[in-house]
Amino acid sequence: MLHEVGIINLWTFLAGALVIILLPGPNSLYVLRTGMSRGAKAATRAIAGVLLGDIFLILLAWAGVATLIRTSPHIFMIVKYMGAMFLLYLGAKIILAAFRKRGASEPTVPVKEENYFLRAILLGITNPKSILFYVSFFIQFIDPAVTHTAPAFAVLGSMIQMISLTYYTVLLLAGSVMVRFLKNRTRLVKLANMLTGMLFFGFAVRLVSAQS
């Protein structure tokens, strides 16, 4: 039945998607950090933003933009450098916020109030893992012989969203547990934020070094 709508090698797709989603990346790190620093409500907005960003990338892949990016070195270079710049910005913001933290009496607030939903959308569409996933992996499981590919994209996209939602919900709960552990450990919180910022720098370098 799935083959009739244009989906091929479903189990290979699910296995690969699960591994890729579980690999640490900017999206999961942002959701976890938001849950730890701002609570479940803010993390829920971040999750919604990340999932909407993924839907946007799925629509671009369905429209043929993924193929265009993959076959055009210049467009791919522009996309990945824009993503890298945004990741560098987030990393620098997190590290600077850690240095500005003044005293142990202050609440654990590593960053200023922000629009978590919008920032998560931007992070989602510039996430190196997501870009490479939809450009190089996702579209391989859509049968090119099928006339109408929208159903196949919708089914595979829904599967991806369900796996991601489950994973991010676990991260949200983990963040709630960790925030209780770190509540009065301000030095550890500062160190964690600096390491988080450095990880975002690492994601930016990985994106720039990605091949089209």
Side-chain angles (χ1 to χ4, degrees), residues 13 16-17 20 128-139 160:
F13 169 80
I20 292 172
K129 189 171 70 172
S130 297
I131 292 172
L132 295 175
F133 177 80
Y134 291 109
V135 169
S136 302
F137 180 81
F138 186 87
I139 59 177
I160 287 293

Side-chain angles (χ1 to χ4, degrees), residues 113-145:
E113 190 67 30
E114 59 189 65
N115 188 328
Y116 303 103
F117 178 70
L118 179 59
R119 182 152 292 181
I121 291 176
L122 294 175
L123 185 59
I125 63 178
T126 58
N127 177 10
K129 189 171 70 172
S130 297
I131 292 172
L132 295 175
F133 177 80
Y134 291 109
V135 169
S136 302
F137 180 81
F138 186 87
I139 59 177
Q140 294 182 23
F141 300 90
I142 307 295
D143 189 350

Side-chain angles (χ1 to χ4, degrees), residues 116 162 200:
Y116 303 103
M162 290 301 299
F200 274 98

